[in-house]
Amino acid sequence: MAWGEGCGQRGRSAVSPYCSCSCPPRLLAQRQQHSFGLHGVACVGTEAHLSLCSLEFYRANDTARCLGGAPAVVSCVPSPLYAASSGQKKQQSKPQGEVRVRLKGGAHPGEGRVEVLKAGTWGTVCDRKWDLQAASVVCRELGFGSAREALSGARMGQGMGAIHLSEVRCSGQELSLWKCPHKNITAEDCSHSQDAGVRCNLPYTGVETKIRLSGGRSRHEGRVEVQIGGPGSFRWGLICGDDWGTLEAMVACRQLGLGYANHGLQETWYWDSGNVTEVVMSGVRCTGTELSLDQCAHHGTHVTCRRTGSRFTAGVICSETASDLLLHSALVQETAYIEDRPLHMLYCAAEENCLASSARSANWPYGHRRLLRFSSQIHNLGRADFRPKAGRHSWVWHECHGHYHSMDIFTHYDILTPNGTKVAEGHKASFCLEDTECQEDVSKRYECANFGEQGITVGCWDLYRHDIDCQWIDITDVKPGNYILQVVINPNFEVAESDFTNNAMKCNCKYDGHRIWVHNCHIGDAFSEEANRRFERYPGQTSNQII
């Protein structure tokens, strides 16, 4: 049938709570000039498509055209994701008292584990009684369409921390998930293996038509080709491989609709380039959250490449699943303490560069170094095992510790001033990755001993106890004061993860020259913006607030 307008008869609403509906008076006098296709449209508000609503079509030669009405008009609030990508101004603030909702761990826009904000802290939702109506409320609250699927059983990966809601029962018309009847959660009610998730219906943007892969062994890998030029004059070209890495590859895989990036490749000589040999984009630098490469910073019309030739062009290997590492922040807070360790016990640590630079000029073997020690427990809560980037052939044997280290840089330990200046750092750069412990239903797969395979299985964690060599920050030269302890996992994004925003952990520290108080430890994305501001203002608070 030919498309026509819908009759906007008064007293009916066929749009979701996030759209406004009106019949402009200026159109009333002109209604006879319009061709109407529908009338009597009556929606509950939970339908995924207008065709699912109760409605009537106008028949041919129907003379009663939209009596008492005018063309229906809607004005929709876009998801901030699309508003930001199209350069629109930030959408108006939500109704006062509405609690924010976010999605985490999804391979595609509009899908993920549902997390809600309560008392300044993000937490998950238990999947008991989780259904399509509740999922649709989440999708609409985030500015997407209705829900395509309500997910249970932590299918988008497990969260870590609080579980805020359980047994959510929505009609589908609520403005916020918090407006739905729900049960306040207790520790015995639910576990993170029951975290709820959603897949939302999305608007068509067409960004996937501006990019393609070539030369790969499957549709999930290949040299990245992008389309430039306007309609009728566009052409395909390659991307310069300079500085191309995991974050850029994540955006390319997302734009292609292929999930996460396993690898971002700067050389693609082993893939057939086909007929496309021109490099049309260079200097690409992404944050990793963009919807398309066009939204990333890159050089303008002038392409600049340090290495020329089609062999040094960008490529990707994409995957539908990825790992997700998180540090157990509560354990850091519980185990932190100061040790004055004699120099004669630190030869091995000095050999592995685990001490501050001033230790090189110390009067060995006399004297001591002051160390801030704490345990580090790194969990893999994603949907794929975390494996080191380097192959076994390039692992480094460390005689002092008696095992191979598989990553040159895996974790940064830093002491920062309130303005972010680094005053001390841990040099535990290399790690031997293994499954120290696992959840009850998960078996260990990786072990460092006897040149074993290294990695962290989904549902397992790698524990470095506080009493292990180099599990510290050398604070010998740090003056008394208020500081921030920061730990960052996978700081250079060497290995792909589903979420990098939770790789940093921060704690407030107060050091009086003899003792140290470490508290308020949290994962970087665990707090609301206001709670993070309060955390950053900590150094200005009084000491009686230290616990």
Side-chain angles (χ1 to χ4, degrees):
M1 67 170 231
W3 282 100
E5 293 173 295
C7 173
Q9 293 172 324
R10 299 179 185 277
R12 295 182 180 270
S13 174
V15 296
S16 83
Y18 292 92
C19 298
S20 60
C21 181
S22 60
C23 301
R26 67 179 180 274
L27 295 177
L28 294 177
Q30 305 173 10
R31 71 170 67 97
Q32 296 300 327
Q33 302 175 14
H34 296 271
S35 174
F36 295 103
L38 302 175
H39 70 99
V41 181
C43 301
V44 176
T46 60
E47 296 84 356
H49 191 274
L50 199 64
S51 63
L52 300 177
C53 300
S54 171
L55 53 84
E56 295 180 52
F57 289 95
Y58 279 112
R59 296 184 298 273
N61 303 320
D62 195 337
T63 57
R65 291 279 171 166
C66 202
L67 296 177
V73 178
V74 298
S75 176
C76 299
V77 178
S79 162
L81 182 68
Y82 296 102
S85 67
S86 60
Q88 297 179 20
K89 291 183 179 179
K90 207 170 185 178
Q91 71 178 61
Q92 294 181 349
S93 59
K94 294 182 178 180
Q96 190 173 13
E98 185 177 354
V99 180
R100 288 174 295 176
V101 175
R102 70 184 184 188
L103 301 181
K104 301 283 279 186
H108 307 279
E111 70 174 29
R113 178 178 63 254
V114 178
E115 296 191 354
V116 293
L117 191 65
K118 180 179 181 181
T121 303
W122 288 99
T124 60
V125 177
C126 183
D127 64 7
R128 290 183 184 172
K129 299 186 179 180
W130 185 251
D131 58 18
L132 204 59
Q133 283 70 36
S136 290
V137 171
V138 170
C139 292
R140 286 174 172 144
E141 188 171 1
L142 291 169
F144 298 111
S146 56
R148 179 160 52 94
E149 194 173 357
L151 305 174
S152 58
R155 285 177 58 189
M156 289 296 171
Q158 295 187 25
M160 195 169 183
I163 302 174
H164 286 330
L165 298 178
S166 179
E167 298 186 19
V168 180
R169 302 297 290 173
C170 301
S171 68
Q173 296 180 299
E174 293 84 356
L175 296 179
S176 169
L177 195 66
W178 286 95
K179 301 294 184 182
C180 302
H182 60 269
K183 179 180 178 182
N184 291 323
I185 198 75
T186 65
E188 301 79 31
D189 283 337
C190 211
S191 69
H192 283 296
S193 63
Q194 297 169 270
D195 283 341
V198 298
R199 285 196 178 100
C200 302
N201 288 303
L202 305 180
Y204 176 73
T205 61
V207 294
E208 68 275 11
T209 65
K210 308 294 184 183
I211 186 174
R212 69 185 185 187
L213 300 182
S214 67
R217 296 162 297 181
S218 72
R219 72 183 192 92
H220 287 87
E221 67 176 33
R223 182 182 280 105
V224 181
E225 298 179 2
V226 291
Q227 188 184 109
I228 63 170
S233 62
F234 73 85
R235 68 186 191 277
W236 290 96
L238 304 172
I239 299 176
C240 176
D242 292 350
D243 302 319
W244 181 267
T246 303
L247 297 181
E248 291 72 34
M250 285 178 66
V251 176
C253 291
R254 181 179 300 119
Q255 185 176 354
L256 286 160
L258 297 178
Y260 305 110
N262 264 352
H263 298 287
L265 307 168
Q266 296 184 359
E267 295 186 32
T268 52
W269 54 268
Y270 37 81
W271 284 331
D272 179 22
S273 60
N275 298 323
V276 179
T277 58
E278 181 188 8
V279 176
V280 297
M281 183 180 286
S282 62
V284 180
R285 299 302 296 269
C286 304
T287 65
T289 60
E290 296 88 349
L291 288 179
S292 69
L293 291 175
D294 284 340
Q295 297 169 17
C296 301
H298 57 86
H299 295 158
T301 55
H302 182 64
V303 175
T304 303
C305 250
R306 293 192 302 270
R307 300 175 298 176
T308 58
S310 59
R311 66 170 290 175
F312 298 111
T313 54
V316 296
I317 300 176
C318 303
S319 173
E320 285 293 325
T321 59
S323 60
D324 187 18
L325 299 186
L326 290 88
L327 189 70
H328 186 8
S329 56
L331 186 64
V332 173
Q333 183 168 318
E334 294 166 5
T335 57
Y337 65 98
I338 286 177
E339 179 192 13
D340 290 327
R341 194 164 182 82
L343 281 173
H344 69 82
M345 301 176 67
L346 291 171
Y347 279 104
C348 183
E351 181 183 315
E352 295 200 13
N353 198 30
C354 295
L355 301 174
S357 57
S358 62
R360 289 193 289 269
S361 59
N363 185 23
W364 292 78
Y366 308 104
H368 68 273
R369 304 298 294 183
R370 176 157 289 184
L371 309 174
L372 170 58
R373 311 196 69 146
F374 52 88
S375 295
S376 173
Q377 188 179 101
I378 299 168
H379 293 244
N380 181 4
L381 298 181
R383 292 188 286 155
D385 294 353
F386 184 94
R387 299 299 308 278
K389 181 178 181 180
R392 295 166 67 98
H393 63 279
S394 59
W395 295 355
V396 179
W397 174 256
H398 284 252
E399 187 65 36
C400 272
H401 296 149
H403 58 226
Y404 284 91
H405 286 184
S406 59
M407 293 186 68
D408 290 334
I409 300 175
F410 179 63
T411 309
H412 282 171
Y413 301 156
D414 299 313
I415 297 290
L416 310 174
T417 63
N419 66 6
T421 302
K422 186 185 300 183
V423 296
E425 62 182 10
H427 293 278
K428 192 170 180 54
S430 299
F431 260 68
C432 171
L433 299 169
E434 67 177 1
D435 296 328
T436 307
E437 294 182 62
C438 299
Q439 297 171 3
E440 290 183 5
D441 56 343
V442 179
S443 300
K444 297 180 182 179
R445 299 182 61 184
Y446 304 106
E447 187 176 14
C448 292
N450 301 317
F451 199 33
E453 288 292 335
Q454 293 193 24
I456 306 176
T457 304
V458 175
C460 299
W461 54 91
D462 189 2
L463 173 63
Y464 272 73
R465 286 175 48 89
H466 56 83
D467 53 359
I468 293 177
D469 231 18
C470 295
Q471 185 57 41
W472 63 57
I473 301 177
D474 185 346
I475 61 171
T476 305
D477 306 317
V478 175
K479 298 177 181 178
N482 295 310
Y483 298 98
I484 293 173
L485 166 61
Q486 177 177 273
V487 179
V488 183
I489 307 167
N490 194 15
N492 294 343
F493 315 113
E494 289 187 5
V495 178
E497 297 185 48
S498 62
D499 186 2
F500 288 113
T501 62
N502 55 19
N503 280 31
M505 184 223 67
K506 293 184 177 182
C507 307
N508 288 132
C509 296
K510 181 178 178 63
Y511 177 49
D512 67 0
H514 305 284
R515 299 167 297 170
I516 195 163
W517 290 264
V518 176
H519 79 117
N520 211 10
C521 295
H522 65 284
I523 300 299
D525 66 344
F527 285 176
S528 66
E529 291 182 7
E530 176 57 32
N532 270 322
R533 283 193 289 269
R534 290 197 300 270
F535 172 85
E536 293 166 359
R537 289 196 299 265
Y538 156 71
Q541 298 173 347
T542 58
S543 60
N544 61 10
Q545 290 174 293
I546 308 300
I547 58 175

